[in-house]
Amino acid sequence: MRRTRVVLAAAHLDHNPGNNRLRNLKSLCQRCHLIHDRPHHLARRRITYLLRRALGDLFLGPYSVYFKLQASRSTLRSDGQSQGEATA
């Protein structure tokens, strides 16, 4: 018989870490906790991407590396390479 050790994590059911009421907390294994938080993480990821894009569009400051990367790819394409060759 094989024994495994399961680590439990406290999950906030409303995704608010400030709400520590017992009815808002649930003890979940790490896999179940990630599954529970997946929709919240996807929404936060989308917001982060949109904010980064907005910051880069407005200020060209912290995300200027992103624009330099795009510019170098577009110059590769204009040198006669196809788009598939430039990304490969």
Side-chain angles (χ1 to χ4, degrees):
M1 180 179 277
R2 187 175 191 185
R3 295 177 120 189
T4 58
R5 185 174 175 171
V6 177
V7 177
L8 297 179
H12 291 88
L13 299 179
D14 66 354
H15 304 288
N16 178 6
N19 184 0
N20 291 321
R21 297 161 99 183
L22 287 179
R23 70 180 110 170
N24 185 47
L25 298 175
K26 190 171 187 179
S27 177
L28 298 175
C29 70
Q30 292 176 345
R31 179 180 179 273
C32 294
H33 194 168
L34 285 173
I35 291 170
H36 168 72
D37 284 344
R38 182 169 168 70
H40 180 70
H41 289 165
L42 289 175
R44 294 300 310 162
R45 183 174 75 175
R46 184 172 190 281
I47 290 169
T48 300
Y49 286 155
L50 291 175
L51 288 175
R52 284 183 182 175
R53 182 175 171 196
L55 283 173
D57 288 344
L58 293 174
F59 305 112
L60 297 176
Y63 300 105
S64 60
V65 174
Y66 172 75
F67 294 107
K68 288 178 187 175
L69 179 64
Q70 279 187 334
S72 67
R73 284 185 180 172
S74 65
T75 56
L76 282 175
R77 286 188 201 123
S78 65
D79 289 342
Q81 292 180 345
S82 67
Q83 185 175 355
E85 294 175 48
T87 57

